Amino acid sequence: MALIVQKYGGTSVGSVERIQAVAGKVKMARDRGEDVVVVVSAMSGETNRLVDLAHQIQERPIPRELDVLLSTGEQVTIALLSMALEKIGCPARSYTGGQVHILTDSAHNKARIRDIDAARVQADLDAGRVVVVAGFQGVDEAGNITTLGRGGSDTTAVAMAAALKAAECQIFTDVDGVYTTDPRVEPRARRLDRITFEEMLEMASLGSKVLQIRAVEFAGKYNVPLRVLSSFEAGEGTLITFEEDGMEQAKISGIAFSRDEAKLTILGVPDEPGVAYKILGPISEANIEVDMIVQNIAQDSTTDFTFTVHRNDFPRAMEVLENTARELGAREVLGDDVIVKISLVGVGMRSHAGIASKMFETLAKEGINIRMISTSEIKISVVVDEKYLELGVRALHEAFELHGEDNA
Ligand code: ADP
Ligand code: ASP
Ligand code: MG
């Protein structure tokens, strides 16, 4: 019998009625003769609610305790879904991450899955039961509860699919596939029938939250067929594929964006060996990840240096940089956390010239000032002021002809 893993996100299990609807969909798959493992998220809004409770007590909640707290969200949904399945005559059993030995490292709040003991799940499947697994959570070697980072249920689903050698991992969500850009920002965005792993990885890492980046990495590494589809309407969704010969190569496949950005600039630092290290060393020691980095050409014997970090890390990064500035005798530190990053992604970029200039021209026509630029083989990113996000995304969507024919 074919085995499939289905994952339902927060909105898809956001109420008792929706959980019952999910049970109906799972039963349909069973009735088609498939073995089903279901991975579920917490009910929509629940993880945010829990994070907020923790912040009411501690500005920076203890990571271990935060994981104990956050993992409860998913535990609620697995139990309710199993009840809903049993009620419609579909034998089911729910398990927390720890109970099915989703072993992770000990990096609380962003743990990585190391291993899954599939035997227990397989035994239930063999006994004709649907297995319902809590997404987003695991345990470390010492038995501490861990969580996998926001959006981590996607990764649980892919890891389960890899461990069980499932025929397909289906990510059911509130959109019917991966679009050329977030349809909430550009309603004329077009659903893609297929997208390559490479492009999906870029889109996810550049801010498209439709799939957690680790889920895409994992699926690529273990060859898990991955599909994104709607839990509300029928359809084929989007298949994430390896690049195939003859696959039509659009220049640009999609536009990703991220609002989680902030930039910091240190002005007038001595232009000498080791200065980048002196600036970024303390930032990395403070466990802050740096994304884009730009160093200006030195004019006198000093130079300016700008980098971006996640917006949550902005206040701490400013503190660290101000310290460094004093030590280096820098002229000034500037910060801006109302910026966003917009990126064009496409494997077709490799073989097409002029994409960057068309992007810059499009933004210029809209009067949008570009603050930073960074490129790689299959993407171009720009940093712009937050107020230009929607305008920028829509203008680029139009300029690169990403609209669907029927909804153009
Ligand atoms: P879930 O709770 O099911 O995991 P998410 O909110 O994590 O759902 O992901 C689905 C959302 O991702 C969509 O509602 C959409 O707004 C957003 N999204 C961002 N970029 C894209 C894209 N390129 N294609 C489709 N959806 C996208
Ligand atoms: N409930 C977690 C979150 O909101 C995990 C997930 O939904 O994938 O991030
Ligand atoms: Mg998600």
Side-chain angles (χ1 to χ4, degrees), residues 7-13 41-42 44 150-154 171-185 189-192 195 200 203 207-212 228-229 231 238 253-257:
K7 178 257 172 178
Y8 292 90
T11 339
S12 312
V13 292
S41 293
S44 60
R150 299 307 302 267
S153 298
D154 297 337
I171 307 288
F172 287 93
T173 181
D174 57 1
V175 274
D176 63 348
V178 178
Y179 276 68
T180 47
T181 193
D182 189 339
R184 286 186 215 207
V185 165
R190 176 171 50 90
R191 184 180 59 81
L192 301 165
I195 183 169
M200 195 61 238
M203 292 280 281
S208 297
K209 286 178 185 148
V210 59
L211 282 176
Q212 198 198 32
V228 176
L229 10 115
S231 50
T238 300
S253 298
I255 303 174
F257 56 83

Side-chain angles (χ1 to χ4, degrees), residues 117-156:
D117 176 7
R120 180 149 191 188
V121 175
Q122 194 60 57
D124 272 310
L125 293 172
D126 293 345
R129 284 189 278 263
V130 169
V131 179
V132 183
V133 178
F136 176 57
Q137 55 179 262
V139 281
D140 71 0
E141 295 272 9
N144 296 299
I145 295 176
T146 55
T147 65
L148 310 177
R150 299 307 302 267
S153 298
D154 297 337
T155 305
T156 305

